[in-house]
Structures are given as C-alpha cells and as structure tokens.
Amino acid sequence: MLPVRKSFTTDNSLIVCRNLVVCVIFFTVSPLIADESTETYLNNLSAAIQLSESAKQATQLRNYKIAADDLQAAIKLLDGYVENSSNDFYPSLFCKLGKVRIEQGLWPAAENALVRCLRLVDHINESQLRAVALADLGQNAFKKGELDKAKSYLNKAIELATKNGDLSTQAFAHLWLGAISALRGNFEHAETELLEAVGIAKKANDP
C-alpha cells in the first residue's frame, strides 16, 4: 500500500493550557480591561476545540459535508480573536478545512483555505504546519491539473519537512511528485519518487 500521510493534528490539551496561561497573564497585568470579552473568548475556544474534534470524526467517516460545516463554525467562533496570535490552533483549522475541501473535489475552496493557513503562520515559527499546508496545496494543484504549480509546492514542502524532521509530510509530498512524473510519462522518475515515499513512510511508521 502506498504511504498516506497522517493528518496534522494539534494537541488540544496543550492548546487549552497555553490559552489559560495567556488569560492568567491578561488578568494579572491588566485587570481593568479583563472583561466579559475574555470569558467569551474562552467559551468560544472551548466550543471550537469540540467542533474540531467533531470534524475529525466526521472526516474519518468520510462525512465531509459535516466536517466542513464544523470547521467553518469553529473558525467563525475564533474570527477576530486570534488571527495575530502565536497559537497554531486557529491556522490549523484552515489547513484541516483545506484537506476536507480536497476530498470534496472543491479545488478553489481548498486552495483558499490552505493559502489562508499559510498567511496566518507567516508570523509564527510553525514550519510543520506550513509544510503540511504546502504539501496539501501541491496535491490540490495536481487535482486541478496544474502540474508545475503542484511540483513547486511539493518541493517546498519537502524542504521544510526535511528541516523539521516531519517524515509523514515528506512521504506524502514524494508520493505526489511520483504521480506528477507518472502523468508526464517519466515512469523511471515516478518509480524513484514512489520508492522514496515508501521508504520514508516506513521510517515514520505510516500505514
């Protein structure tokens, strides 16, 4: 079986802890401005995390409509609160939505979500999520028939994923590079890429 990259996931317990720490600092340093908006944010964050988990389960069941609706609802809850945050949970919602849109065959919507993810992580040191989004953009471009664009995205993803030791994303990107070569009739290079994908996937213990 060809390697399939595991979905990028964020540790929800760590997210909650990090945001609680931020809120403690917020209340301590500036109690005068710690009002109901903070409580609203915490409630919205909790609801968004639950929606993200629900979307994950729906995706596993291939119920992509429900998954997309849940992710869009989660994004709406956090809009305006964390767009400039160093937290990777908010941009990861766009990455997950992009994956779902690919599965739905909604290529432009997938691209919009993944590009939004990249823009959000530009100001934080989150190269793993950036690599994942680039790899997904490569897959999406391949689906659209934009092979040169797909190759560019995938090579960038491999470069980043190699730097941060993300074997799953490396394998995923090599798999799609192999698909590009096969589609262009370069079967020798396609085989090389696919074997590379399988070898990396074995190291990552991917199925």
Side-chain angles (χ1 to χ4, degrees), residues 47-48 51-52 69-79 90 93:
L51 284 165
S52 178
D69 288 346
D70 284 347
L71 288 167
Q72 287 179 307
I75 288 168
K76 187 175 181 179
L77 283 170
L78 297 180
D79 276 344
Y90 182 67
L93 294 174

Side-chain angles (χ1 to χ4, degrees), residues 54-140:
S54 175
K56 179 180 178 180
Q57 294 172 15
T59 300
Q60 291 171 344
L61 295 173
R62 300 183 184 276
N63 197 331
Y64 300 120
K65 175 65 167 59
I66 290 178
D69 288 346
D70 284 347
L71 288 167
Q72 287 179 307
I75 288 168
K76 187 175 181 179
L77 283 170
L78 297 180
D79 276 344
Y81 284 101
V82 293
E83 289 197 27
N84 296 315
S85 169
S86 61
N87 195 312
D88 60 14
F89 177 64
Y90 182 67
S92 77
L93 294 174
F94 288 95
C95 191
K96 293 171 185 176
L97 180 59
K99 295 174 189 296
V100 171
R101 293 307 192 195
I102 290 174
E103 295 295 339
Q104 290 179 300
L106 301 175
W107 321 132
E111 183 173 9
N112 288 340
L114 292 166
V115 168
R116 180 71 183 280
C117 173
L118 287 179
R119 288 174 180 168
L120 287 167
V121 299
D122 270 348
H123 71 285
I124 64 176
N125 185 23
E126 185 42 75
S127 59
Q128 182 180 359
L129 183 54
R130 186 178 292 109
V132 171
L134 285 167
D136 288 332
L137 279 167
Q139 179 191 13
N140 191 62

Side-chain angles (χ1 to χ4, degrees), residues 19-30:
N19 280 279
L20 287 175
V21 169
V22 170
C23 288
V24 169
I25 295 173
F26 181 78
F27 277 106
T28 303
V29 175
S30 187

